[in-house]
Amino acid sequence: MKTYEKQYVTTRFIIIGLPLIPVESLFVVDDMSYIELGLNIKSIFKTYLAWITFAIATILLVGSQFENVFPLSSGISFFIGLISLIISIYFFFVFQKTTEQENEVRDLFQKAIGMSLLPEYFNYDKSFDFQKKLIQTLKDKFGINNWRDTIKNNDYNEAQLPLLFTICAFQHKMSKSKISQENYDKLLNEYKNIA
């Protein structure tokens, strides 16, 4: 799901034949590191639909080879099974493929924080925690204590812009307010121009 530059979102499940209970969603940065996202509903949805349609396809395709297994004729069972298999393949390999516009924004995050993750991948609590870490990094690296005032007063430079953009993006994900949208759009446009 959402693989870009070998970084992606995945969800761990308790599996008993099929994925049953989601445990946690992760943003995989590389083979050795990941970030906990909380549960990512889209990743869970994709996994369930892919496996359910695959199970239906398997049952119908195998069952269509034997007469009187289903109340449907073998031809209809085979046809529905084939359609289910195509849908399953779609969910496994195509569903939620990244768009060009999304990849452009992910590139900006990659340049800013070394990861091509987006705030929408996090649940609210993990978003809040991650933003707190970014704010602390801004304070430690640049001595900025109030990022909102810094943006409001246009009191930042090109070196600070990527981190401010990232903080603002997480704020917008959490609040969805008019001011967070305006700040996000403003910093996005400025950051695109220097990146």
Side-chain angles (χ1 to χ4, degrees), residues 2 75 77 82-83 89-90 96 127 130 132 158 168 193:
K2 299 286 188 186
S77 292
L82 190 60
I83 296 298
I89 290 169
Y90 169 78
Q96 287 206 311
S127 238
F130 195 78
K132 274 181 25 181
E158 285 186 6
C168 190
N193 290 330

Side-chain angles (χ1 to χ4, degrees), residues 7 9 13-14 37 42 48 53 55 65 73 89 98 101 107 111 120-121 134 137 143 155 159 161 164 174 178 191 195:
Q7 297 181 4
V9 174
F13 284 83
I14 293 174
L37 303 173
K42 290 179 183 177
Y48 281 148
T53 55
Q65 303 306 307
S73 73
I89 290 169
T98 57
Q101 182 181 9
D107 278 337
K111 290 174 187 171
E120 68 191 48
Y121 301 159
L134 293 171
T137 301
D155 189 23
L161 181 58
L164 284 167
M174 292 184 291
K178 182 180 175 185
Y191 188 26

Side-chain angles (χ1 to χ4, degrees), residues 23-190:
V23 178
E24 65 181 337
S25 297
L26 307 168
F27 183 80
V28 179
V29 180
D30 58 40
D31 292 339
M32 301 302 290
S33 61
Y34 59 86
I35 296 170
E36 293 180 15
L37 303 173
L39 289 175
N40 182 289
I41 301 303
K42 290 179 183 177
S43 176
I44 295 166
F45 178 74
K46 173 203 180 257
T47 302
Y48 281 148
L49 286 178
W51 281 102
I52 288 169
T53 55
F54 180 75
I56 291 169
T58 302
I59 291 166
L60 289 173
L61 289 173
V62 170
S64 72
Q65 303 306 307
F66 303 98
E67 291 193 31
N68 301 322
V69 172
F70 296 111
L72 305 171
S73 73
S74 293
I76 292 174
S77 292
F78 181 81
F79 179 74
I80 294 171
L82 190 60
I83 296 298
S84 296
L85 182 61
I86 291 167
I87 292 168
S88 176
I89 290 169
Y90 169 78
F91 281 115
F92 274 116
F93 301 107
V94 180
F95 182 72
Q96 287 206 311
K97 206 167 180 102
T98 57
T99 65
E100 193 62 40
Q101 182 181 9
E102 183 179 4
N103 289 343
E104 184 180 305
V105 175
R106 287 181 76 172
D107 278 337
L108 296 175
F109 278 90
Q110 179 69 38
K111 290 174 187 171
I113 59 173
M115 294 173 275
S116 65
L117 59 79
L118 296 178
E120 68 191 48
Y121 301 159
F122 290 80
N123 71 14
Y124 184 89
D125 292 337
K126 295 293 182 178
S127 238
F128 182 80
D129 294 342
F130 195 78
Q131 186 197 39
K132 274 181 25 181
K133 291 176 186 174
L134 293 171
I135 292 168
Q136 187 61 49
T137 301
L138 184 71
K139 184 177 181 179
D140 294 345
K141 191 172 181 179
F142 298 110
I144 296 175
N145 291 316
N146 189 326
W147 63 272
R148 286 184 176 97
D149 285 346
T150 300
I151 294 170
K152 182 180 174 184
N153 299 328
N154 293 313
D155 189 23
Y156 53 90
N157 58 42
E158 285 186 6
Q160 299 162 340
L161 181 58
L163 198 48
L164 284 167
F165 162 75
T166 307
I167 291 167
C168 190
F170 275 87
Q171 183 64 34
H172 179 57
K173 188 261 185 209
M174 292 184 291
S175 73
K176 299 287 187 201
S177 69
K178 182 180 175 185
I179 189 74
S180 72
Q181 179 70 55
E182 289 169 358
N183 286 338
Y184 175 77
D185 291 341
K186 172 187 165 185
L187 295 181
L188 175 63
N189 289 327
E190 289 178 19

